[in-house]
Amino acid sequence: MKAAIYPGSFDPVTYGHLDVIHRAASIFDELTVSVLNNVMKTPLFSVEERVKILMEATAELPNVKVEAFSGLLIDYAAKKDIHVAIRGLRAITDFEYELQIAQTNKLLSKGKLDTMFLTTSLEYAYLSSTSVKEIASFNGDISQCVPPFVAKLIYEKYGHRK
Ligand code: PNS
């Protein structure tokens, strides 16, 4: 069985992430979307909220599961006996950062964890969780960026009613 992990912060999940999830789920038999519980950052949504949101957003994909993880990705992947991590590449600006993470993971895992990049579909190439949060914080329109139920939850966090 071909299995992969798609790790990320997903704070919050965007249509760009969902595009990568759909495409990776059609390539692999099983895809685990792994939500980083990063104690160094203060996210908008708790890790439990992000997992719940992702579960709802991927409910129609039977071979996708969602989990939280903390610590090193290579340790988490080794425990699950998974050897491929998926990452989305939006533009050349992502490349340097992503290449650094991929090479570090390859080195630390002694070659056991490889990274596969999926280029984000062009219509989502501009999207980032950070800009979605900024737009929503000013009560701007994020309907093209995230599913309606996610937009509602984001606006609620910023005290906006839609
Ligand atoms: O969505 P993000 O924030 O760009 O995802 C980054 C992520 C979660 C893939 C990366 O920060 C990660 O894997 N963190 C876990 C800690 C780790 O393994 N660090 C070593 C890689 S340099």
Side-chain angles (χ1 to χ4, degrees), residues 6-11 17 34-38 41 69-75 86-87 90 97-98 100-102 104-105 108 113 129:
Y6 177 28
S9 301
F10 305 107
D11 184 41
H17 297 127
S34 306
V35 183
L36 179 66
N37 186 10
N38 188 348
K41 277 191 192 171
F69 83 104
S70 49
L72 287 178
L73 182 66
I74 55 153
D75 294 335
I86 303 290
R87 292 287 288 170
R90 288 167 301 188
Y97 169 68
E98 293 297 338
Q100 187 190 348
I101 296 182
T104 307
N105 284 334
L108 288 179
L113 185 65
S129 297

Side-chain angles (χ1 to χ4, degrees), residues 5 10 19 28 54 70 72 78-79 85 114 117 122 124 132 140:
I5 291 170
F10 305 107
D19 170 52
F28 289 89
L54 271 157
S70 49
L72 287 178
K79 253 185 234 146
D114 247 312
F117 293 108
L122 272 183
Y124 306 125
V132 169

Side-chain angles (χ1 to χ4, degrees), residues 131-132 135-146 151 155 162:
S131 51
V132 169
I135 296 163
S137 73
F138 293 112
N139 211 9
D141 180 9
I142 53 169
S143 61
Q144 293 179 84
C145 311
V146 297
Y155 288 125
K162 286 264 170 182

Side-chain angles (χ1 to χ4, degrees), residues 2-6 24 28-33 82-86:
K2 284 186 294 171
I5 291 170
Y6 177 28
F28 289 89
D29 298 314
E30 191 178 283
L31 179 72
T32 305
V33 181
I82 293 181
H83 306 281
V84 181
I86 303 290

Side-chain angles (χ1 to χ4, degrees), residues 16-159:
H17 297 127
L18 290 171
D19 170 52
V20 171
I21 292 171
H22 275 86
R23 285 159 56 213
S26 71
I27 298 170
F28 289 89
D29 298 314
E30 191 178 283
L31 179 72
T32 305
V33 181
S34 306
V35 183
L36 179 66
N37 186 10
N38 188 348
V39 286
M40 317 275 274
K41 277 191 192 171
T42 311
L44 182 63
F45 291 97
S46 71
V47 71
E48 293 81 10
E49 289 172 320
R50 284 177 276 151
V51 166
K52 201 163 162 255
I53 291 170
L54 271 157
M55 279 177 168
E56 189 168 337
T58 60
E60 83 279 17
L61 297 170
N63 63 333
V64 173
K65 58 180 180 174
V66 186
E67 286 181 359
F69 83 104
S70 49
L72 287 178
L73 182 66
I74 55 153
D75 294 335
Y76 166 75
K79 253 185 234 146
K80 297 180 73 65
D81 199 24
I82 293 181
H83 306 281
V84 181
I86 303 290
R87 292 287 288 170
L89 272 185
R90 288 167 301 188
I92 194 74
T93 41
D94 280 343
F95 187 74
E96 212 169 318
Y97 169 68
E98 293 297 338
L99 190 65
Q100 187 190 348
I101 296 182
Q103 299 289 21
T104 307
N105 284 334
K106 181 103 174 159
L107 182 79
L108 288 179
S109 68
K110 301 193 170 62
K112 290 204 177 86
L113 185 65
D114 247 312
T115 303
M116 262 183 65
F117 293 108
L118 289 179
T119 49
T120 307
S121 299
L122 272 183
E123 66 264 44
Y124 306 125
Y126 63 94
L127 265 186
S128 78
S129 297
T130 306
S131 51
V132 169
K133 283 182 280 195
E134 186 170 346
I135 296 163
S137 73
F138 293 112
N139 211 9
D141 180 9
I142 53 169
S143 61
Q144 293 179 84
C145 311
V146 297
F149 84 94
V150 182
K152 188 168 176 285
L153 293 170
I154 301 170
Y155 288 125
E156 274 169 20
K157 285 277 178 190
Y158 290 111

